[in-house]
Amino acid sequence: MRVVSFRYPRNAVTDILLCIIFSFLIILLVTSGERVGKVECNSPSLDVASEFLSSFGWSVNDSSVICETVMISKDSGEVFSDYNELQKEQGFDLLPYCGKEVIKCTYEVLNFPGYENKDGIYSTVYMYDGLIIAADIYSAAIDGFIQGVKNNG
């Protein structure tokens, strides 16, 4: 068995350089982990989602879209049940997608009544295999709201 060792001169300069190198490696590992779950926002699915929203009169900022891969919870707790009821009112049902990974696209909404030209109103569209399975409009404010996309104004 052969053992390879590395020796370096111990002084302040080499210690600082090694700290910088290790810090850089740690930052690289941490920031690369944040990308897990993100997907490219240039797929044809975005056209489907954007056209879907505009078919109900919503104007969205296409350059603001954030795409992620998320898993629909298998837990059918109260929050999930309430959200799924909102989706059922629009003709969607998330139950068949529980435990599956879906694409979540979030857009900034530009024309919500009373909030035109203001930040904080968004639309989320969930897709599975290119099909829209859920969508909503919500306010990110503390006293915000959530509603279906088919309820425009």
Side-chain angles (χ1 to χ4, degrees), residues 71-76 80 94-101:
M71 183 173 292
I72 303 293
S73 175
K74 288 184 179 182
D75 176 25
S76 58
F80 176 83
L94 288 170
L95 286 177
Y97 303 99
C98 288
K100 296 186 178 179
E101 285 189 0

Side-chain angles (χ1 to χ4, degrees), residues 63-102:
S63 65
S64 73
V65 67
I66 298 171
C67 301
E68 303 172 282
T69 302
V70 297
M71 183 173 292
I72 303 293
S73 175
K74 288 184 179 182
D75 176 25
S76 58
E78 186 177 344
V79 174
F80 176 83
S81 295
D82 290 346
Y83 185 75
N84 200 36
E85 283 304 313
L86 172 72
Q87 296 308 318
K88 285 181 177 180
E89 291 172 9
Q90 302 184 106
F92 299 120
D93 185 3
L94 288 170
L95 286 177
Y97 303 99
C98 288
K100 296 186 178 179
E101 285 189 0
V102 301

Side-chain angles (χ1 to χ4, degrees), residues 38-144:
K38 301 240 173 158
V39 294
E40 289 295 321
C41 286
N42 58 4
S43 70
S45 298
L46 291 179
D47 293 336
V48 170
S50 184
E51 289 172 12
F52 172 79
L53 292 169
S54 66
S55 74
F56 294 102
W58 298 112
S59 176
V60 296
N61 181 354
D62 288 325
S63 65
S64 73
V65 67
I66 298 171
C67 301
E68 303 172 282
T69 302
V70 297
M71 183 173 292
I72 303 293
S73 175
K74 288 184 179 182
D75 176 25
S76 58
E78 186 177 344
V79 174
F80 176 83
S81 295
D82 290 346
Y83 185 75
N84 200 36
E85 283 304 313
L86 172 72
Q87 296 308 318
K88 285 181 177 180
E89 291 172 9
Q90 302 184 106
F92 299 120
D93 185 3
L94 288 170
L95 286 177
Y97 303 99
C98 288
K100 296 186 178 179
E101 285 189 0
V102 301
I103 295 175
K104 173 186 170 187
C105 298
T106 304
Y107 296 86
E108 179 184 15
V109 176
L110 303 174
N111 66 333
F112 194 88
Y115 290 84
E116 294 87 350
N117 302 318
K118 295 182 185 175
D119 293 336
I121 305 297
Y122 300 94
S123 177
T124 305
V125 178
Y126 295 89
M127 291 179 280
Y128 183 79
D129 282 342
L131 299 173
I132 295 173
I133 61 169
D136 60 65
I137 304 284
Y138 68 94
S139 166
I142 291 175
D143 61 343

